[in-house]
């Protein structure tokens, strides 16, 4: 894993911009931000062989800043000729109250991307199954993922592409570390249980702050989540606050943590399933 991104020497460093960016700022700071995100996406795709045999991607678009940013960056790379896959944007309308159903179809049509809007009332299922005061995220995520897998198959896609970023990966790692007693995070590339679809996360190296700035500059029509976002005290929020505090006191620690996830040493951990400690023996000298 490499997290040192050069400022030049790739197809993202020229001055050409996808028509999607016609109304975006022309400032030096925005251009640097856009190019940095493009480089990081390409880096993740290269490091984790995301383009190996892929022909058609279903891109999950929730209406949040991250998925909007992901779609825009993928469309830009496709336009540049460095992403030879067909993109299909998909929003799963889960039946949340007051969900503005017109925003995503209008936006996706306006930017000229093939898309599918699917309605499935998983909101009612989650509200019925989860006890009052408990968090909705786990069940909501499982229901959403199952529907997206189905849609990907129906659309003939070989990968489901999601907008999880650097902070999502680190937060998941620490949630598993503190609450699950295991070392695990969100992998940038994952084969589903059925073995017929890849789950890809091209924003794995991208910082959430950069994506927020990108979304503001691009004036994406953000749709807030009124289900999970309405609950306080989620474990993920605690991890987010912890990581933000660490980064404030020791800048650069998030990138260091992400590098650590790509440089494991099983012989220096405590898992005998990953390293055969029983085979370790001292070397006998000939004098013995």
């Amino acid at each position: 894993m490499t997290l040192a991104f050069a400022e030049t020497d790739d197809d993202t460093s020229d001055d050409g911009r996808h028509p999607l960016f016609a109304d975006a700022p022309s400032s030096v700071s925005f251009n640097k931000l856009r190019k940095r995100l493009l480089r990081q996406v390409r880096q993740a795709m290269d490091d984790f062989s995301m383009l190996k045999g892929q022909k058609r991607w279903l891109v999950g678009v929730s209406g949040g800043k991250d998925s909007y940013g992901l779609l825009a960056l993928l469309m830009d790379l496709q336009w540049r000729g460095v992403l030879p896959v067909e993109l299909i944007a998909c929003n799963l309308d889960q039946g949340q109250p007051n969900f503005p159903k017109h925003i995503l179809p209008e936006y996706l049509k306006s930017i000229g991307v093939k898309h599918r809007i699917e309605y499935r009332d998983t909101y009612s299922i989650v509200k019925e199954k989860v006890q009052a005061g408990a968090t909705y995220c786990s069940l909501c995520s499982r229901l959403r993922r199952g529907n997206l897998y189905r849609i990907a198959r129906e659309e003939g896609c070989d990968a489901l592409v999601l907008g999880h970023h650097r902070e999502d990966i680190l937060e998941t790692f620490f949630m598993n570390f503190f609450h699950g007693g295991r070392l695990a995070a969100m992998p940038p590339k994952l084969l589903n249980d059925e073995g017929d679809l890849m789950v890809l996360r091209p924003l794995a190296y991208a910082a959430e702050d950069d994506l927020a700035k990108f979304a503001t500059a691009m004036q994406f029509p953000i749709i807030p989540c009124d289900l999970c976002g309405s609950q306080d005290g989620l474990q993920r929020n605690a991890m987010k606050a912890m990581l933000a505090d660490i980064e404030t006191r020791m800048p650069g620690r998030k990138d260091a943590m992400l590098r650590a996830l790509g440089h494991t040493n099983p012989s220096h951990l405590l898992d005998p399933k990953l390293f055969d400690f029983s085979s370790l023996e001292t070397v006998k000298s000939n004098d013995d």
Side-chain angles (χ1 to χ4, degrees):
M1 178 186 294
T2 303
L3 292 179
F5 304 104
E7 289 296 324
T8 57
D9 301 330
D10 65 32
D11 293 331
T12 66
S13 61
D14 57 48
D15 293 329
R17 302 210 292 185
H18 187 284
L20 179 63
F21 296 90
D23 296 325
S26 57
S27 64
V28 172
S29 60
F30 177 76
N31 284 331
K32 286 185 176 180
L33 172 63
R34 177 179 61 86
K35 292 173 184 179
R36 179 166 63 251
L37 288 170
L38 287 169
R39 281 192 299 273
Q40 291 170 340
V41 169
R42 290 195 66 187
Q43 183 84 54
M45 291 194 298
D46 289 344
D47 285 353
F48 300 102
S49 302
M50 292 187 185
L51 290 174
K52 188 175 182 180
Q54 306 297 324
K55 300 298 182 184
R56 181 179 291 178
W57 287 0
L58 187 77
V59 184
V61 182
S62 65
K65 67 182 190 311
D66 307 324
S67 58
Y68 275 130
L70 171 65
L71 180 61
L73 295 166
L74 293 180
M75 289 179 67
D76 197 352
L77 291 174
Q78 186 188 54
W79 178 74
R80 294 171 186 277
V82 295
L83 182 60
V85 298
E86 180 182 358
L87 301 176
I88 303 175
C90 178
N91 172 252
L92 180 65
D93 179 349
Q94 296 179 262
Q96 285 105 323
N98 304 316
F99 184 81
K101 296 179 180 294
H102 64 286
I103 290 181
L104 274 165
E106 291 177 359
Y107 175 76
L108 296 173
K109 183 178 180 180
S110 73
I111 63 174
V113 65
K114 183 176 179 180
H115 60 277
R116 174 171 169 176
I117 307 296
E118 181 85 2
Y119 177 78
R120 284 290 185 275
D121 185 9
T122 62
Y123 176 85
S124 296
I125 297 174
V126 171
K127 293 287 285 185
E128 177 185 349
K129 299 293 185 183
V130 178
Q131 295 181 352
T135 59
Y136 300 136
C137 297
S138 179
L139 179 57
C140 179
S141 177
R142 289 199 303 272
L143 293 172
R144 180 172 61 250
R145 186 68 57 83
N147 278 288
L148 289 174
Y149 283 161
R150 172 183 56 79
I151 295 167
R153 296 183 184 103
E154 292 173 358
E155 295 291 342
C157 297
D158 32 40
L160 170 61
V161 188
L162 303 174
H164 297 121
H165 46 65
R166 180 187 69 178
E167 277 72 12
D168 288 323
I169 292 172
L170 292 176
E171 289 159 17
T172 300
F173 172 80
F174 282 106
M175 285 172 66
N176 286 323
F177 184 71
F178 288 132
H179 302 287
R182 60 194 180 103
L183 300 180
M186 285 179 173
K189 182 179 181 180
L190 173 72
L191 183 64
N192 71 336
D193 291 340
E194 292 78 10
D196 64 336
L197 287 170
M198 287 291 180
V199 178
L200 305 177
R201 297 182 171 97
L203 296 180
Y205 294 153
E208 184 175 15
D209 284 348
D210 277 353
L211 290 166
K213 293 174 185 175
F214 186 68
T216 299
M218 293 292 291
Q219 300 181 56
F220 293 138
I222 304 297
I223 302 173
C225 175
D226 292 327
L227 184 62
C228 305
S230 66
Q231 294 180 289
D232 296 327
L234 297 178
Q235 293 175 356
R236 185 170 294 275
N237 288 345
M239 298 301 103
K240 184 182 293 292
M242 180 193 73
L243 288 167
D245 178 62
I246 292 172
E247 186 70 15
T248 298
R249 290 187 290 108
M250 296 178 286
R253 293 315 94 193
K254 287 183 179 180
D255 277 340
M257 293 176 195
L258 200 66
R259 284 197 299 272
L261 292 181
H263 293 86
T264 57
N265 189 342
S267 68
H268 286 57
L269 296 174
L270 281 72
D271 192 342
K273 299 187 294 298
L274 293 181
F275 185 79
D276 185 8
F277 293 96
S278 65
S279 67
L280 293 179
E281 296 180 359
T282 58
V283 177
K284 302 292 185 180
S285 68
N286 292 330
D287 295 335
D288 291 343

